[in-house]
C-alpha cells in the first residue's frame, strides 16, 4: 500500500506499489496434456480471480506441477487456452509472461550474494543500477531480510533462502506469482510461520497468486480458494471453509481433514446408518445407498438424556489416545463400523471412558454430511 505522501516519487518507488489495481485474472480453458496415452491434465477449466490466492491441492501425481508449468509457460499443453486478463498466453514464452516464480528448491545462484540474486530479474530487464539497488532493498524489507543484501547464500538458513527466492520473485512487480511447494523443504515450525508470512505478504501486494501444495492444512491456512486436483481433473474449487464443511464427495472428504464413513440406506425418504435414523439438511439420493462422513472433532460424547439436535449412535470404545491438544477416542458401532471422536483435553479428558466401555455418541444435524457416493464406489 502506498501512502499518499509517496505519490510524487519516481515510479516505481516500491515493490508493494504494484498493488491490487493491476492484478490480473487467469482463465484456463479445456487445458489438456498427455504423456503417451496417459492424460496428465484432462480438459482443465479454472478461473483465478484478480488478486486472489488460489491453491492447487492434490495427491502426488495429480497434475499440480504440470498445470503450474503450463501457466508459467515452461510446458506446452496439447490443447486448450490460458488467458491473463484479455491476453492469450498459451504460445507465449515464459519470460514474456511477467510471472514471478518460487520453487521448493529455491533455485538461487550460490556464487552471488543476496542482493545480486534478488536483483537478477531487474538486470535482465536492464533497469538502471541505482533503481535496482532501491528496489532490491525494498523487496528484502518486504520479506523481512532488510540489510541482508551483502550476505552469501551459504550463510543463510533454509527459511532465509526461501525468503530470498521470494524477494527475487516479487522484485520486478510481476502481474502473477506462481509457487510450487515453496515451503516443503522447511521443518514444521518454520513452515507454519512462513505460511502466515506469505499470506500477509500476499495481502500487502495483492498480486494474483497460484500456489501448489500437497499439504491440506497449508492449503486451508493460506488460500482464498482451493482447487482440488484428482488425476488430472479438478474435483472441486471453493473456499477452505466450504470445502471442509461441505466436501461434496468422498474423495474430497478423505483428502481434506479426517473423516469416518458410514454406509447409509435411504428408503422412502428416510436415511438409516449405523443402526440409527439419520437427520440431515438434505438427502443426496431419494432412494438407494449413499455415504455419511463424520468429522472426529464435530462428534460429541453424550451424557444420558443428551442428543436432542444430534444424530446419535450406540458405540463401544476401542481406543483412547492422548495427543496433547486433543484426545482421540476410537469407537465401533453395533454394525462394526469404526467412528473416531476428537475431544478437547483438560478437565474432560480426565473423565474419558475406558477401552471396552459402552458409550453414546452423536453429531449435530447441522454438521451431518451425506455424500452421494455409494459405499466403496471409488475405484
Ligand atoms: P504433482 O505435481 O501433482 O505431483 P505432476 O504434475 O508432477 O504431479 O505429474 C503428474 C503426472 O504426470 C505424474 O503421473 C507424472 O509421473 C507425470 N509426468 C509429469 N511429467 C512427465 C514427463 N515429462 N514425462 C512423463 N510423465 C510425466
Ligand atoms: Mg509437483
Amino acid at each position: 500500500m502506498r501512502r499518499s505522501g509517496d505519490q510524487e516519487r519516481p515510479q516505481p518507488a516500491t515493490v508493494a506499489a504494484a498493488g491490487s489495481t493491476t492484478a490480473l485474472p487467469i482463465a484456463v480453458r479445456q487445458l489438456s496434456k498427455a504423456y503417451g496415452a496417459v492424460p496428465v491434465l484432462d480438459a482443465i477449466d479454472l478461473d483465478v480471480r484478480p488478486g486472489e490466492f488460489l491453491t492447487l491441492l492434490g495427491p502426488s501425481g495429480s497434475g499440480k506441477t504440470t498445470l503450474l508449468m503450463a501457466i508459467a509457460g515452461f510446458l506446452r499443453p496439447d490443447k486448450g487456452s490460458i488467458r491473463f486478463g484479455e491476453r492469450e498466453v498459451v504460445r507465449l514464452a515464459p519470460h514474456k509472461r511477467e510471472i514471478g516464480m518460487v520453487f521448493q528448491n529455491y533455485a538461487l545462484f550460490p556464487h552471488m550474494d543476496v542482493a545480486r540474486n534478488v536483483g537478477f530479474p531487474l538486470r535482465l530487464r536492464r533497469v538502471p543500477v541505482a533503481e535496482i539497488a532501491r528496489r532490491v532493498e525494498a523487496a528484502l524489507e518486504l520479506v523481512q531480510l532488510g540489510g541482508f543484501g551483502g550476505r552469501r547464500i551459504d550463510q543463510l538458513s533454509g527459511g532465509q533462502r526461501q525468503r530470498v527466492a521470494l524477494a527475487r520473485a516479487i522484485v520486478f512487480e510481476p502481474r502473477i506469482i506462481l509457487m510450487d511447494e515453496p515451503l516443503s523443504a522447511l521443518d514444521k515450525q518454520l513452515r507454519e510461520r512462513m505460511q502466515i508470512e506469505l499470506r500477509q505478504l500476499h495481502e500487502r501486494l495483492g498480486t494474483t497468486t497460484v500456489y501448489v501444495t500437497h499439504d491440506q492444512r497449508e492449503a486451508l491456512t493460506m488460500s482464498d480458494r482451493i482447487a482440488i486436483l484428482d488425476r488430472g481433473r479438478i474435483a472441486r474449487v471453493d473456499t477452505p471453509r466450504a470445502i471442509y464443511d461441505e466436501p461434496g464427495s468422498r474423495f474430497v472428504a478423505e483428502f481434506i481433514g479426517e473423516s469416518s464413513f458410514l454406509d447409509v440406506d435411504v428408503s422412502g425418504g428416510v436415511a438409516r446408518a449405523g443402526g440409527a435414523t439419520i437427520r440431515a439438511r438434505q438427502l443426496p439420493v431419494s432412494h438407494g445407498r449413499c455415504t455419511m462422513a463424520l468429522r472426529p472433532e464435530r462428534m460429541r460424547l453424550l451424557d444420558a438424556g443428551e442428543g436432542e439436535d444430534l444424530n446419535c449412535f450406540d458405540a463401544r470404545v476401542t481406543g483412547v489416545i492422548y495427543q496433547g491438544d486433543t484426545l482421540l477416542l476410537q469407537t465401533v458401532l453395533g454394525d462394526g463400523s469404526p467412528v473416531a471422536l476428537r475431544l478437547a483435553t483438560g478437565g474432560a479428558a480426565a473423565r474419558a471412558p475406558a477401552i471396552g466401555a459402552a458409550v453414546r455418541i452423536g453429531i449435530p444435524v447441522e454438521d451431518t454430511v451425506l455424500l452421494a457416493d455409494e459405499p466403496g464406489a471409488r475405484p
Side-chain angles (χ1 to χ4, degrees):
M1 299 300 142
R2 184 188 298 149
R3 284 162 287 124
S4 54
D6 295 342
Q7 294 287 331
E8 58 274 33
R9 274 205 223 154
Q11 299 292 315
T14 65
V15 172
S20 49
T21 50
T22 55
L24 277 179
I26 305 173
V28 174
R29 290 290 175 275
Q30 294 294 301
L31 199 74
S32 295
K33 176 77 189 175
Y35 290 110
V38 186
V40 173
L41 299 179
D42 191 356
I44 298 263
D45 285 330
L46 178 68
D47 282 288
V48 189
R49 298 168 184 158
E52 179 174 45
F53 193 115
L54 182 132
T55 296
L56 304 177
L57 175 69
S60 177
S62 57
K64 305 181 295 294
T65 294
T66 306
L67 177 53
L68 201 76
M69 288 300 141
I71 295 172
F74 295 112
L75 179 125
R76 178 70 69 88
D78 301 330
K79 271 190 281 188
S81 140
I82 302 171
R83 272 182 292 126
F84 294 172
E86 297 300 307
R87 189 176 190 198
E88 175 61 59
V89 298
V90 82
R91 258 168 271 284
L92 205 62
H95 67 275
K96 293 189 174 157
R97 295 193 187 192
E98 291 296 300
I99 280 174
M101 287 212 66
V102 186
F103 303 96
Q104 173 184 348
N105 58 7
Y106 319 134
L108 297 171
F109 305 109
H111 57 284
M112 294 181 196
D113 66 17
V114 167
R116 283 190 71 75
N117 266 279
V118 174
F120 182 74
L122 300 177
R123 289 198 298 283
L124 275 186
R125 288 169 175 78
R126 309 203 177 282
V127 173
V129 172
E131 192 180 324
I132 291 180
R134 192 173 66 237
R135 287 170 66 175
V136 164
E137 194 50 36
L140 287 174
E141 292 281 347
L142 270 174
V143 300
Q144 298 171 32
L145 283 180
F148 276 68
R151 294 274 190 106
R152 287 206 321 264
I153 297 300
D154 62 8
Q155 294 173 316
L156 301 178
S157 69
Q160 289 169 333
R161 286 177 203 200
Q162 196 52 285
R163 287 197 184 94
V164 174
L166 189 61
R168 188 180 58 183
I170 63 178
V171 75
F172 64 97
E173 302 177 7
R175 313 283 302 273
I176 289 168
I177 296 174
L178 306 177
M179 299 193 242
D180 193 352
E181 313 236 7
L183 306 182
S184 56
L186 307 178
D187 66 48
K188 183 170 183 292
Q189 271 189 10
L190 183 57
R191 197 162 68 230
E192 288 175 357
R193 213 173 71 215
M194 288 289 291
Q195 288 167 5
I196 310 281
E197 276 186 30
L198 274 179
R199 176 69 219 188
Q200 289 170 341
L201 181 63
H202 171 74
E203 272 156 30
R204 264 178 286 161
L205 295 178
T207 312
T208 308
T209 300
V210 183
Y211 188 94
V212 164
T213 183
H214 64 275
D215 179 340
Q216 47 113 359
R217 200 168 183 83
E218 186 162 300
L220 291 170
T221 302
M222 301 182 72
S223 317
D224 294 315
R225 290 190 306 154
I226 300 171
I228 297 181
L229 265 78
D230 177 17
R231 295 168 295 182
R233 294 175 187 216
I234 294 200
R236 183 77 189 276
V237 189
D238 217 325
T239 62
R241 185 178 287 264
I243 285 178
Y244 191 88
D245 287 350
E246 295 285 344
S249 72
R250 180 157 181 163
F251 174 75
V252 174
E254 275 180 346
F255 195 67
I256 301 251
E258 300 169 76
S259 289
S260 306
F261 295 98
L262 298 180
D263 297 351
V264 183
D265 273 304
V266 184
S267 159
V270 178
R272 291 189 60 79
T277 301
I278 304 299
R279 288 171 292 162
R281 279 168 297 169
Q282 59 189 54
L283 293 175
V285 294
S286 55
H287 201 85
R289 280 145 69 76
C290 64
T291 301
M292 180 170 178
L294 304 108
R295 297 284 194 201
E297 80 283 1
R298 304 274 165 98
M299 298 294 302
R300 308 251 187 90
L301 182 62
L302 305 177
D303 291 326
E306 263 190 301
E308 190 63 7
D309 294 317
L310 304 172
N311 288 307
C312 301
F313 306 94
D314 291 314
R316 190 168 45 77
V317 176
T318 56
V320 182
I321 300 157
Y322 182 77
Q323 295 184 312
D325 55 346
T326 56
L327 183 86
L328 183 65
L329 197 66
Q330 297 170 313
T331 73
V332 288
L333 307 188
D335 65 0
S337 307
V339 175
L341 294 77
R342 207 168 263 297
L343 308 175
T345 50
R351 299 191 295 275
I355 289 175
V359 291
R360 197 155 170 75
I361 63 176
I363 186 158
V365 173
E366 63 170 5
D367 290 328
T368 295
V369 172
L370 295 182
L371 306 167
D373 304 53
E374 286 198 20
R378 189 176 162 78

